Each structure stands twice: as structure tokens, then as C-alpha cells.
Amino acid sequence: MTIVSNPLLSVQHLDKRFPGVHALDDVHLTLDRGEALAVIGENGAGKSTLMKILAGVLLPDGGQIVLDGKPIRCASVHDALKHGIVLIHQELNLADNLDVAANISLGRETHRFGLLLAKADRAEAERVLRLVGLDVSPRTLVGRLTIGQRQMVEIAKALATDARILIMDEPTSSLSQHETETLFNVIKSLKDRGVSVIYISHRLGEVRAVADRVVVLRDGKNAGALARHEIDEYRMVSLMVGRDVSKWYHRQPLPLGETLLDVEGLVTPAHRRHRLSFQVRRGEIVGVAGLVGAGRTEMLEALFGITPPLAGTIRIAGQPATIRTSRDAIRAGLALIPEDRKLQGLVLEMSIRENIGLPSLFRTRRAGLFLDAAQERAGAERMIAGLRIRPPLPKKVVQLLSGGNQQKTVLAKWLLLKPRVLLLDEPTRGVDVGAKEEIYRLLEQAARDGAALLFVSSEMQEILTLADRVLVMHQGRLTAELSRDQLSEEAVMRAATGQS
Amino acid sequence: MTKALGIAVVLIVVCVGTSLQAPAFMSTANIQNIINWTSLFSILAIGAALVIISGGIDLSIGSVVGLVGCTMSLLANRWDVPPGVAVLLVLLLAATIGLVHGLLVTKLRLQPFVVTLCGLLIYRGLARWSTGEATQGFANERFDGLREIVGTVTLPGFEALRLPIPFLLMLGLALLVGGFLHWTIYGRYLLALGRNEQAARYSGINTDRMVILAYVMCSFIAGFGGVLLSLDINALQPSSFGDTYELYAIAGAVLGGCSLRGGEGSILGVVIGTALIRVLYNASSMLGISTSLEPTTIGVVILLGVMIDEIVHRISARRQRRSG
């Protein structure tokens, strides 16, 4: 690989300080035309700060950004757009109530004397939608699209502004496998058209699939770079954590006990025609794989009484349980770590202690009514120490914690109840590599302590490393049950896409 | 808590400032008057605060006050129901109104603003129609016993000041509701679901039942306040008695630190916030500010209050982020 003498974009000596944090310390970066560059690093490594500076959201304290050999200054998002740099946020920024064409032309509408010329905008939308291969009418309301389709609309919107550099921040975090593949194809065709892509992701498998080059950041500094042929997960993880990880997380299956969760003929409101039956035993960790929309979250939510099941029997440790509400589920010995920790898992404005206590208050109440503050405090302190939640301050508002520590707080509030069956929906979404490994160990510990675990994950790596057994779902049905020795990426994908 | 402290400082400043300009402000009669009105309105504001903390709003409080006052008079004066029974019946009526609000908000998922706005119109109309717009009162000696509860008592050692009984009732209610919010698990549930209803539901909390409870308590407390207010005023115009009281109750709650986003607020703050509104109301007339400007004064002060609160909030959030 030869160094190209005139890269499209070159970032030199970039420096940014926040009070108490040296977010970027002498960071370098180059990007060629038509190149897909992955920037990886643990949470807090400086990726987001770097991207925000490139996109004009933040101003650097030092260093320079050179585009086409000329130093540029992106003091605002508008400036960055003028230079053809577009950031596609993790949380998509589309107006649900407007149609696709209106979103694509938002802020740049064709108009005459202030009156919209919708036809021109729709023609333009059609052009860019073709570029991303999205087959929807420009008149479709964005609210009607899937997350994956919305992502494509975002990219189409960027292309409509003649973007030369697309920055994608965790673009696949809510995409299904299929949508992810579509995204990769779009990235390839963008590259062919000379558009450069900076790709930020925690998912190392994807990075391997999409990136021409990888830049690793650690603690705000360049930690290393990998050329195309050097990209493998071992090298990436080693550079990210800064130590030699002799091997990726690996676990020993535990001896299995009696059946703790026995589901027979479960019918969820989302997929009324299909019945789900399966068991999970004490000490067992069962993964549920499938594409987004396969009905996995709906299954967990039915088991937990969020959307009560329409039919079927659920036995917990042999006892039939009638579950109409989440309280019923908790009484029966179930716990659910929900998919969206900020919306469903935590009350962000409350403290670690209050969040951990929330599901167990009714167990420790006195006289049927009063809060047992001493017990609540003791429970929270025990869980904070046991799960190593940082900072170890019970009164800290969870909003201020890192993603990994927020997720550990969600785990803590449920482990405190000592559930017999632990249901988990995407247990490591949006947490960094270090915290992920810690969460895996905590889940293994819960299994060792005698719980049965059922987890949904869209990350193949997670399914392969964590699960003793894998259930695969496709369009509301269970299409496969794979034991450890039957388990392979191909087998899971075949069942998840409905081929068998 | 710091919010309650801040608003208490403003309250003291206003009191000291006014008494320097108008010594009559500190007269026993005036203080007694302020305490009485602060107490009556604080009762309404405490109820409003419960619904606001749950993430909702109740615009019907003033009309519930009106309907309760008129119905109590009709029951006792026209249908010869014993006054004590009449009070119980109207309290039951108020609680039922709250139950209907709660059910509509949770089971039909209607917006609280709309539900209680319709309530505001419906109960006002019923009060006017049932009384034929005739002024209602409790002059009859049958009510003498009942009217004691809006009278005054002297505390041993403080013979100079006659303490309004509504003040003691308000104090009791504040302790009860404050205790409910901070010492019971249901209070915690209410605070949690006000912030994030979904997370509360995923934590095994029956959020619908808690929201219904908040509306029942709010309307019941409004009914209780309505009983006291109607006995105190004793000449009720069905078309205007209680009118806009809901706005003063909401204003007191907000000034006292309740956020309309829900999940936030202290009862002490609500009482102090309401006291500030009543004192401003009183002070502006004491200081000879045109009575026409009273609502303007109160509006400006509340606006300043929430502006300062927002600014303080941002600064402390920034500081917390730095240290964290």
C-alpha cells in the first residue's frame, strides 16, 4: 500500500480539550477519494469528538483540517456542508411527519417567491433514492419507513447535497443483517462514484467487511492504523484496549439444572398465527437470533407481560404462571433487560440508587406502603460494588454515566431481585468493548448463580460467543434450534432468512 | 429542595420590601388574611402538583371547586341533607370526577389537557344550571358547626395571632402528601413514571393505576379545598366561584419547582410558591399598584422564576458534567 501524495482530507495535530478531559491529543487522519475508512475505539476514545469537529459541530482547540490541499475551517454544520462533509447521526434526524422528498430537500427546498415547487424536489429525491437503491415513492411519509429505509433516506439526503465525505456514526446499530448488507452495497457504490466514507462502529465484523483502512483511537490519541490486509478482530481489539488480549471472550458451558422456563404455544399479539415453544434450563444461556422484525423483542415482551400473550402456557420452575402485567412477571421470577435502556431501562434523571431500587421496592416495603430507605441504599451499594458500576456513587444521576455503566445499572436493578429467568434484549447495544466483556462475565455469573438466561442479539459475534444454545426466529416463527456443536454463522443466517 | 429555598428567599425579600413601603402589610389582620388565602390555595396547588408530577395536567380544578360548593349548598339548603353528609357526598363526587379523568387518560389514552379542559367546561355548566345561577351560601345556623373549620384558633402562648384553621388543615395535608411522595413506594412510583412512564412500566409498576390515583387525589383535594373555600366565601356566584383557580394552583406548583415535564417537585416548594403568589397579590394592592395589573405582576414574577430556574439548572448541569 503506497501513501497517496494528495489525500482528499488530511487532519493534522488536532487537539480538543473539555474541562477535565483531553478529548483529542495530536490526532492525525487522512482520507482518500473513494475510500472507506473505519475509525474505531472504545467509548470515550475521542471518535465522536473527532467526527463532530469534521462536521462543524465543534471547533478544535488546535491543529488543522486540510481538504484538497487547502486548509479549511468548519465553524458550523453549514460550513462543513459547503465543503461536502456530512455527518449522519446515530439518532436519525428526519421529520417523521413529512414525506421522503420533503426530508431530502429540507432546508434547500426549491421555491419561487416562497412557494414550494414540490415537483422539482420530488424529481431530485427520485434521483438520489435511485443512487442508494431505495425503492420507495418520494411521497411516502418517513414515519412509515423502517429504520433501515430511513438510514437510506439520510444517505440519499447527503448525496443530494453533493457530499464528498460521508461520516456514519454507528449506522448499523438498529439495522437488521439484511439492511446492513444493503448499506454495505450502497457504501461500495458510493466509493465507486468517488465519495469517501468515514465509518464508526463498535461492530468489528462489520468493520472488517466494509473498511479499506482502520484508524484506532485510544484515550484521545492515535493508537494505530491497519491497512486492508491487516484488518482482523484480534488486531483491532488489541489496539483499542491497548493490551494484548490473548483471546476474545470465551466461556465454558455450565452443568445444566432443571428446566426453569418452559414456554408452550406462546402467541404474541404481533404474530398471531405462530406458536412458540421452547425451554431454558438452570445455568443455561440461550441466544435468540434473527433479523430485526423477526418477533424476538415481541416474544420477550409477551413473556414479561408488557404486551400480554394471547395464548400459550408459561411455566417457571414447573409452576404455571399467568402473566398479564410486568408485575405478574416479576412475581413469577422473571426479569427483562429491555432493548432501549434510555427509554425503557432507566429513568435517566433519577440516581443510580433510585433506579436500582425501582423493581424491588414492593418486596422490601414496610406496612404495605412505606419505602425502606435503608434496604434500598444497602441493595444499591451491594450491586454497585458487585457490578463495579463507575462512578460508585449511589446518588449519581444515571444520565451522567457512560453507556456501559448505564447498562450495568439496568442489570443491577434486575439482578438485585435474584430472578429465576433473566430475559435480555440486546444486552450490549452501544457499549464499548471493555464494558461488553464485563457484561458477558456478569451474565455468566448470573447463570452460575442458578438463573436461566434468554438473550436476544443482532450481533452474530455475541450469539456465537455467549450462547449455549441458539433459537433462530424468522417472521414470527422459530425456524431453528441450534446446539453448541451445530452452531455456525451460516446455520444461523440460513434459519434467520427463512431458508432451511 | 434548593428550589424551595430559592423561592423562599424571594418570598422573604418581597415581604420585607413591602412592609418597608407599606407598614400595614405587617398588621396582624393582613398576615392572618394572607395565611388564610395561602392555605386555601396551597391545598388546591398540592392536588395540582400530584397530577403535574405524574406528567399530566388538571385544568378542571377551579370548576370542581365551583361544582362542589354549589352542590353542597343545594344538598343542604334545598334537599335538607345534614351538612356533614353533604360534605361527604361532595367529596365523593370530586373523587369520582378524578376517577373519570384518570380512566380517560389511561385507558382511552386521551390527552390530560383535553380531558380536563372538557371537565372545566362541563362542571362549570352543571354548577350554573343546577343552581339556576342563583347565589349560594351557608348562612343557615345549621352550618355554624361546619363553618368552624374555616375559623381561627389561638395557640397557647401566641394569643395575639389568631391562626386560621385552614392553615392547620393545609399543613396536615402537606405532610400527608409529602410523606406519600417521599416515604412510600407509591410516591416513588409516581415520581418515576412522571419522568419516564415506559421505564416505570418495564420495572413492574402498574403505571395506569398510579396515574388514576394521581387524578383521584387531585380532584378529591380540589373538592376538599372547594368545601373550605365555599364555607369561607359564603356567597357563591355559580358562574364565577372558583373560576381560574386552577391556573393559580398550577402556577403555584410550577413556581414551587414542579416541572410540567413531570417527575419533579416538592410539596414544601409548592406551598412556598403559592405563598409567594398570594403575597404578591396582597402586596400589589398594599403598594397601590393598580388592581388591574395584579395578574400581570404575578405573571411576570412566575416567568422570571422559571427563567432563573432554567438558567440555574443549566449551569449546575454543566458543572456536574465537568466534575463527572
Side-chain angles (χ1 to χ4, degrees):
Chain A
M1 189 128 325
T2 54
I3 293 164
V4 184
S5 55
N6 59 338
L8 172 64
L9 175 80
S10 150
V11 171
Q12 295 154 6
H13 305 294
L14 207 63
D15 197 86
K16 178 75 186 174
R17 281 171 196 276
F18 295 114
V21 188
H22 202 163
L24 291 179
D25 184 2
D26 196 26
V27 167
H28 296 252
L29 188 85
T30 61
L31 179 70
D32 287 330
R33 275 172 204 82
E35 184 186 34
L37 173 73
V39 177
I40 62 172
E42 297 198 56
N43 281 347
K47 295 168 302 198
S48 296
T49 310
L50 176 59
M51 295 312 136
K52 281 183 182 156
I53 288 174
L54 289 178
V57 180
L58 290 173
L59 271 177
D61 296 335
Q64 61 173 351
I65 301 167
V66 180
L67 185 74
D68 273 337
K70 284 183 292 262
I72 59 162
R73 200 179 124 82
C74 295
S76 68
V77 177
H78 189 74
D79 285 355
L81 283 177
K82 267 197 314 211
H83 291 300
I85 305 175
V86 179
L87 173 66
I88 296 176
H89 283 277
Q90 221 164 341
E91 284 87 26
L92 301 176
N93 290 314
L94 294 172
D96 286 358
N97 56 336
L98 298 180
D99 68 17
V100 170
N103 267 287
I104 286 176
S105 59
L106 197 62
R108 303 171 294 101
E109 289 84 355
T110 322
H111 63 87
R112 184 175 298 149
F113 314 122
L115 293 174
L116 289 173
L117 298 176
K119 215 181 245 172
D121 285 341
R122 277 201 289 276
E124 169 71 356
E126 264 167 19
R127 182 182 72 85
V128 290
L129 287 173
R130 258 199 307 279
L131 292 179
V132 298
L134 183 61
D135 187 23
V136 300
S137 155
R139 291 180 184 243
T140 318
L141 282 185
V142 164
R144 298 247 169 106
L145 300 181
T146 67
I147 305 273
Q149 290 174 320
R150 291 183 205 194
Q151 187 107 46
M152 292 303 161
V153 173
E154 281 263 20
I155 296 171
K157 183 177 173 180
L159 294 178
T161 63
D162 294 319
R164 304 160 72 190
I165 301 174
L166 271 184
I167 305 173
M168 299 187 191
D169 191 358
E170 295 277 359
T172 59
S173 59
S174 27
L175 297 192
S176 67
Q177 197 90 21
H178 178 70
E179 289 170 328
T180 302
E181 272 157 29
T182 312
L183 176 69
F184 289 174
N185 287 333
V186 168
I187 290 176
K188 272 200 203 85
S189 74
L190 290 178
K191 281 161 55 180
D192 292 342
R193 301 179 62 247
V195 177
S196 307
V197 174
I198 300 180
Y199 190 92
I200 303 173
S201 183
H202 279 118
R203 299 185 176 181
L204 302 181
E206 288 174 5
V207 168
R208 204 180 47 196
V210 81
D212 298 316
R213 202 152 53 85
V214 172
V215 166
V216 186
L217 294 182
R218 183 171 70 237
D219 300 331
K221 299 189 188 73
N222 285 86
L226 299 168
R228 179 82 198 120
H229 64 278
E230 296 171 319
I231 301 175
D232 64 42
E233 289 181 22
Y234 172 73
R235 286 201 180 105
M236 287 192 278
V237 172
S238 299
L239 286 174
M240 278 163 75
V241 300
R243 63 189 151 91
D244 187 27
V245 277
S246 55
K247 60 173 180 251
W248 185 256
Y249 180 81
H250 182 72
R251 63 179 290 265
Q252 293 292 328
L254 299 161
L256 302 183
E258 75 275 22
T259 300
L260 285 186
L261 176 66
D262 183 356
V263 178
E264 214 182 297
L266 186 82
V267 179
T268 66
H271 297 277
R272 289 159 189 265
R273 282 179 316 182
H274 301 300
R275 296 177 167 269
L276 304 167
S277 302
F278 57 91
Q279 285 100 33
V280 186
R281 296 168 64 182
R282 175 193 291 272
E284 193 179 25
I285 302 182
V286 175
V288 184
L291 308 178
V292 169
R296 299 171 299 164
T297 296
E298 290 79 0
M299 176 182 78
L300 293 188
E301 295 196 334
L303 286 175
F304 197 64
I306 299 290
T307 48
L310 301 175
T313 54
I314 301 166
R315 283 192 198 83
I316 311 289
Q319 298 290 319
T322 312
I323 294 172
R324 311 303 311 166
T325 66
S326 48
R327 173 65 60 87
D328 293 341
I330 293 171
R331 284 219 169 96
L334 291 167
L336 170 67
I337 278 82
E339 186 177 17
D340 187 332
R341 71 169 161 270
K342 291 187 177 171
L343 220 56
Q344 302 159 339
L346 296 167
V347 183
L348 287 175
E349 298 85 352
M350 284 188 150
S351 66
I352 299 177
R353 170 171 59 87
E354 288 166 322
N355 270 288
I356 290 179
L358 214 48
S360 27
L361 290 180
F362 81 99
R363 279 205 190 158
T364 57
R365 70 192 158 167
R366 285 176 293 129
L369 186 64
F370 293 101
L371 204 79
D372 191 332
Q375 276 232 44
E376 188 195 22
R377 198 175 318 116
E381 278 169 3
R382 200 167 66 241
M383 296 318 281
I384 288 171
L387 273 64
R388 300 202 296 131
I389 294 171
R390 293 287 172 272
L393 308 171
K395 288 193 176 166
K396 193 83 176 175
V397 174
V398 294
Q399 203 160 31
L400 304 172
L401 303 182
S402 71
N405 281 300
Q406 287 184 352
Q407 189 67 0
K408 283 202 259 177
T409 307
V410 181
L411 261 177
K413 81 184 226 193
W414 292 108
L415 290 178
L416 182 61
L417 277 169
K418 296 208 184 4
R420 281 194 275 208
V421 179
L422 189 55
L423 310 170
L424 305 112
D425 200 350
E426 305 286 356
T428 63
R429 168 173 289 179
V431 310
D432 61 44
V433 174
K436 205 175 230 177
E437 227 181 291
E438 261 185 282
I439 287 171
Y440 290 165
R441 287 191 199 295
L442 290 169
L443 297 185
E444 204 183 338
Q445 184 59 46
R448 199 173 300 131
D449 291 344
L453 274 68
L454 183 70
F455 77 97
V456 163
S457 178
S458 295
E459 248 182 280
M460 187 62 81
Q461 190 65 47
E462 190 158 284
I463 292 278
L464 295 179
T465 47
L466 199 56
D468 296 319
R469 190 155 54 90
V470 175
L471 306 173
V472 189
M473 291 183 73
H474 173 66
Q475 296 180 349
R477 281 180 302 131
L478 275 174
T479 49
E481 182 172 346
L482 304 166
S483 66
R484 188 95 212 158
D485 38 312
Q486 298 169 312
L487 195 54
S488 72
E489 199 163 335
E490 297 72 50
V492 172
M493 276 324 294
R494 257 203 318 278
T497 49
Q499 322 150 12
S500 49
Chain B
M1 231 29 187
T2 46
K3 241 180 218 174
L5 210 68
I7 206 84
V9 169
V10 177
L11 176 63
I12 291 167
V13 168
V14 172
C15 285
V16 171
T18 311
S19 57
L20 289 178
Q21 293 292 311
F25 178 78
M26 287 306 262
S27 73
T28 317
N30 194 48
I31 288 176
Q32 210 168 299
N33 175 40
I34 289 175
I35 290 179
N36 193 39
W37 282 101
T38 296
S39 305
L40 292 168
F41 273 86
S42 287
I43 288 170
L44 303 182
I46 288 168
L50 283 167
V51 164
I52 291 173
I53 286 171
S54 82
I57 191 85
D58 191 345
L59 297 175
S60 73
I61 292 171
S63 291
V64 169
V65 165
L67 183 62
V68 157
C70 293
T71 309
M72 187 166 72
S73 157
L74 286 179
L75 284 172
N77 293 328
R78 197 179 292 174
W79 293 309
D80 278 334
V81 176
V85 178
V87 170
L88 290 180
L89 286 175
V90 294
L91 288 180
L92 192 68
L93 170 70
T96 311
I97 285 172
L99 181 66
V100 172
H101 292 167
L103 287 171
L104 289 172
V105 168
T106 56
K107 303 302 176 192
L108 277 188
R109 303 258 151 237
L110 299 184
Q111 288 172 345
F113 191 100
V114 177
V115 169
T116 57
L117 177 64
C118 295
L120 177 149
L121 298 168
I122 292 168
Y123 314 138
R124 177 61 58 195
L126 287 178
R128 289 169 58 176
W129 170 75
S130 61
T131 53
E133 307 267 8
T135 305
Q136 304 293 314
F138 306 96
N140 199 313
E141 66 276 5
R142 288 202 299 145
F143 293 99
D144 285 353
L146 200 55
R147 278 222 309 280
E148 291 286 304
I149 63 167
V150 289
T152 58
V153 285
T154 47
L155 296 179
F158 298 94
E159 275 75 16
L161 185 70
R162 295 186 63 79
L163 206 54
I165 294 176
F167 176 73
L168 298 176
L169 294 172
M170 181 278 285
L171 223 53
L173 182 73
L175 283 175
L176 217 58
V177 175
F180 168 79
L181 271 184
H182 299 291
W183 296 334
T184 74
I185 62 171
Y186 301 106
R188 176 66 64 77
Y189 289 174
L190 200 62
L191 288 164
L193 82 88
R195 285 287 196 189
N196 185 342
E197 205 251 340
Q198 223 180 338
R201 199 151 41 86
Y202 276 77
S203 299
I205 295 166
N206 189 335
T207 50
D208 282 0
R209 200 184 293 167
M210 290 308 305
V211 169
I212 292 170
L213 182 64
Y215 281 95
V216 170
M217 288 200 286
C218 175
S219 292
F220 178 81
I221 292 170
F224 177 59
V227 169
L228 297 181
L229 279 159
S230 46
L231 290 172
D232 190 272
I233 291 174
N234 204 2
L236 315 179
Q237 302 293 339
S239 61
S240 67
F241 172 57
D243 196 26
T244 70
Y245 283 10
E246 66 281 344
L247 299 183
Y248 286 98
I250 293 166
V254 168
L255 195 54
C258 290
S259 161
L260 287 182
R261 283 185 292 266
E264 200 179 346
S266 78
I267 297 303
L268 178 64
V270 170
V271 174
I272 298 174
T274 310
L276 180 57
I277 290 176
R278 291 315 307 180
V279 165
L280 281 169
Y281 195 78
N282 183 273
S284 50
S285 67
M286 284 279 166
L287 295 174
I289 298 170
S290 162
T291 47
S292 322
L293 272 177
E294 273 164 9
T296 309
T297 317
I298 293 167
V300 167
V301 169
I302 295 172
L303 195 58
L304 284 175
V306 291
M307 276 164 67
I308 292 167
D309 180 59
E310 188 57 39
I311 291 164
V312 170
H313 202 74
R314 278 189 199 176
I315 291 171
S316 75
R318 204 170 301 156
R319 206 169 284 161
Q320 215 169 356
R321 216 155 276 153
R322 273 177 209 178
S323 68

